[in-house]
Amino acid sequence: MTEAPPSTATRNGGLALAVICVAQLMVVLDATVVNVALPSIRDDLNFSLDNLTWVVTAYSLAFGGLLLFGGRTGDLFGRRRMFMIGIAIFAGASLVGGFATNEAMLIVARAAQGAGGAIAAPTALALLATTFTEPAARARAFGVFAAMAASGGALGLLLGGVLTDYASWRWALFINAPIGAIVLFLAPRVLNESQGAGTKLDLPGAISVTAGMSTLVYGLTKAASDGWGSTTTLVTLAIAAVLLVAFVVIELNSSHPLMPFHIFANRNRSGAYLIMLFLAAALFTTFYFLAQYLQNVHGWSPFHTGIGFLPMPATIMFMSIVVVRRLIPKIGIRPFLTVGPILAIAAMISFAQLDANSSYWPFFGSILLLGVGMGCSFVPLTMTAVNGVEPHETGLASALLNTGQQVGGAIGLAVFGTIFAHASADRARELGAQARTAAGQSDAFISGQHHAFEAAIVVTALALIASLTLIRVNKVAPPAPAAAPAMAE
């Protein structure tokens, strides 16, 4: 069953866009907002070093594992309904996490945040795709949404630094509660409800893909910390492979599959997912290593580190909202999906040149370059991912794009983290006793970072190759219409 895209004439389009984009920013931002607060969390709640990483990992596991399930629930049970459920879970879990008194309470709250985000993020993009159908409004809406998705990680570092330095790490979580409440108040007033697809939920498929994706993200996380050859990493990745193969078998034999594989038949859509995977790997790596570079090598505070990253989200927003969204209706998406990865490659080359003696200005120029590249890429990728999709599968198409971003980031951190660790260790052995000094530690870190960004150059080059070989569409169209809009007042 399909439904028509709701007419924006019946709702306040600007307010609807604000509600969707604020929700998306809140979810993306929380993937990094606690990163700079981890030392404060460790001291306040007496976290062990082993468990501290679970503050970040618990969110990633739940978010990455439940994305496909969350996106599909919007198609089956109504996107606005599931969007509001996801935001309610996310905001409630944020409030609980802010009041956490021990390790377990915070880790469970972070996992619940990830679960809420996995429902809210794909349904938000699906709502956007089916709400804004007029070309100019659609380009503007996707520009703003893509800016939130691409810049959220950097803004998370900034917000986390500000709140940690001047208030408390708890406010990095508390702040989501009032924002979530405002979104929940406005959503039924400005967003149209979609009619459910009228099919049953593929429960075996949902269980297998959720378990498989969660295990995959966990395995990649362990690879980053324990190495690819560790028993835990190998066993976890093997289990993930078995579960995901089981998911494919289930879907091929299901009468109402959670993920109909015909959605990958469109080469442009599949290309968008692949490009997102590669670019996310590079982007997450940039946030991870450069935040440490500014703090460990140059001695910056969390707040100053966040300020140092500010030009990148500002550039992404400017490119996405002001430049790209205005030019896409005129020149199409292919030029941007060529220029964007090229600029990202140039940025990775610049990052690989940074050392302990580099001033802020080479760093500034490099993150501006990356901001322009990502700003050129994320809007057309978001539009291509849902281009030509049947309305009743928009949530699934949206979830797959989010999955590409999440899994790409996890793979990037695992692979580049391993490269970094080996290169740093090799340099430390070369330095000998000098490696125990501050200068020696900085030298080893820089060596590892250089090698990590050299590998990131290869990955961004793969994004460019995927763009040149797979993307053929230039103009995008709104979702296919149906008989009448399904409205719920």
Side-chain angles (χ1 to χ4, degrees):
M1 179 185 295
T2 60
E3 79 278 353
S7 170
T8 54
T10 59
R11 298 286 189 174
N12 186 323
L15 198 53
L17 177 60
V19 167
I20 293 171
C21 289
V22 166
Q24 173 69 8
L25 179 62
M26 189 167 59
V27 171
V28 175
L29 184 146
D30 257 64
T32 59
V33 72
V34 300
N35 284 19
V36 294
L38 289 177
S40 299
I41 293 173
R42 180 193 60 208
D43 296 339
D44 198 11
L45 298 183
N46 296 316
F47 259 86
S48 68
L49 288 177
D50 291 338
N51 289 339
L52 188 63
T53 58
W54 278 98
V55 177
V56 177
T57 303
Y59 184 89
S60 299
L61 284 179
F63 188 75
L66 289 166
L67 265 172
L68 288 178
F69 171 76
R72 198 62 172 139
T73 58
D75 292 334
L76 297 178
F77 308 123
R79 298 188 190 100
R80 189 184 70 185
R81 178 183 297 111
M82 296 312 302
F83 172 77
M84 293 179 65
I85 289 173
I87 292 298
I89 294 172
F90 185 89
S94 299
L95 191 63
V96 171
F99 284 114
T101 56
N102 54 57
E103 293 181 356
M105 187 175 176
L106 180 58
I107 291 171
V108 170
R110 287 286 289 168
Q113 275 188 300
I119 298 172
T123 49
L125 179 53
L127 282 167
L128 193 79
T130 53
T131 297
F132 296 91
T133 57
E134 190 274 323
R138 186 176 175 84
R140 181 180 67 251
F142 273 91
V144 177
F145 185 90
M148 298 300 103
S151 61
L155 289 174
L157 295 174
L158 172 61
L159 182 62
V162 171
L163 293 174
T164 301
D165 275 359
Y166 294 101
S168 165
W169 65 265
R170 297 180 183 277
W171 279 100
L173 300 174
F174 281 147
I175 196 170
N176 292 320
I179 296 174
I182 293 171
V183 169
L184 290 174
F185 174 78
L186 292 175
R189 291 163 173 80
V190 300
L191 298 177
N192 295 321
E193 181 60 285
S194 63
Q195 184 179 2
T199 58
K200 296 179 181 179
L201 177 64
D202 175 18
L203 194 57
I207 293 173
S208 58
V209 74
T210 299
M213 291 300 299
S214 298
T215 308
L216 175 63
V217 174
Y218 177 71
L220 292 171
T221 303
K222 296 302 289 182
S225 58
D226 299 350
W228 290 92
S230 74
T231 301
T232 303
T233 299
L234 294 174
V235 171
T236 305
L237 292 178
I239 293 173
V242 171
L243 288 168
L244 293 175
V245 169
F247 169 68
V248 172
V249 173
I250 291 170
E251 297 307 282
L252 290 174
N253 293 279
S254 175
S255 58
H256 46 272
L258 182 75
M259 188 175 73
F261 287 104
H262 65 76
I263 199 164
F264 296 107
N266 184 298
R267 64 182 292 168
N268 299 292
R269 191 179 307 122
S270 297
Y273 298 149
L274 195 59
I275 296 166
M276 176 63 81
L277 184 85
F278 292 137
L279 290 182
L283 189 62
F284 277 60
T285 299
T286 300
F287 293 149
Y288 179 78
F289 286 113
L290 294 186
Q292 294 187 69
Y293 168 77
L294 292 178
Q295 293 183 79
N296 296 340
V297 176
H298 290 288
W300 288 26
S301 69
F303 170 69
H304 287 138
T305 299
I307 292 294
F309 272 98
L310 188 57
M312 183 159 65
T315 304
I316 292 173
M317 289 184 180
F318 175 78
M319 291 300 301
S320 299
I321 299 171
V322 179
V323 179
V324 178
R325 69 96 174 172
R326 291 181 177 175
L327 292 179
I328 278 182
K330 299 177 181 178
I331 66 175
I333 65 172
R334 288 191 67 189
F336 293 108
L337 287 182
T338 301
V339 172
I342 289 174
L343 294 177
I345 292 170
M348 295 302 133
I349 294 173
S350 296
F351 291 139
Q353 310 307 312
L354 295 174
D355 57 33
N357 297 318
S358 297
S359 68
Y360 175 69
W361 298 113
F363 176 92
F364 175 80
S366 300
I367 61 174
L368 280 184
L369 197 61
L370 184 60
V372 174
M374 292 299 174
C376 286
S377 302
F378 272 64
V379 178
L381 285 176
T382 306
M383 298 180 78
T384 304
V386 295
N387 181 48
V389 178
E390 290 294 328
H392 67 282
E393 293 180 347
T394 309
L396 173 61
S398 307
L400 286 168
L401 186 69
N402 279 276
T403 300
Q405 183 176 4
Q406 183 68 20
V407 173
I411 292 173
L413 288 177
V415 173
F416 301 144
T418 302
I419 293 171
F420 168 84
H422 285 302
S424 295
D426 290 344
R427 181 57 180 163
R429 282 192 293 271
E430 292 175 6
L431 292 172
Q434 186 183 349
R436 291 190 290 270
T437 66
Q441 291 172 359
S442 176
D443 192 337
F445 179 90
I446 291 296
S447 178
Q449 179 174 276
H450 282 175
H451 284 79
F453 278 117
E454 286 169 0
I457 294 170
V458 176
V459 171
T460 46
L462 292 176
L464 177 61
I465 293 170
S467 176
L468 295 175
T469 57
L470 294 176
I471 302 298
R472 290 292 177 266
V473 67
N474 197 37
K475 301 293 185 180
V476 295
M487 300 277 289
E489 294 294 346

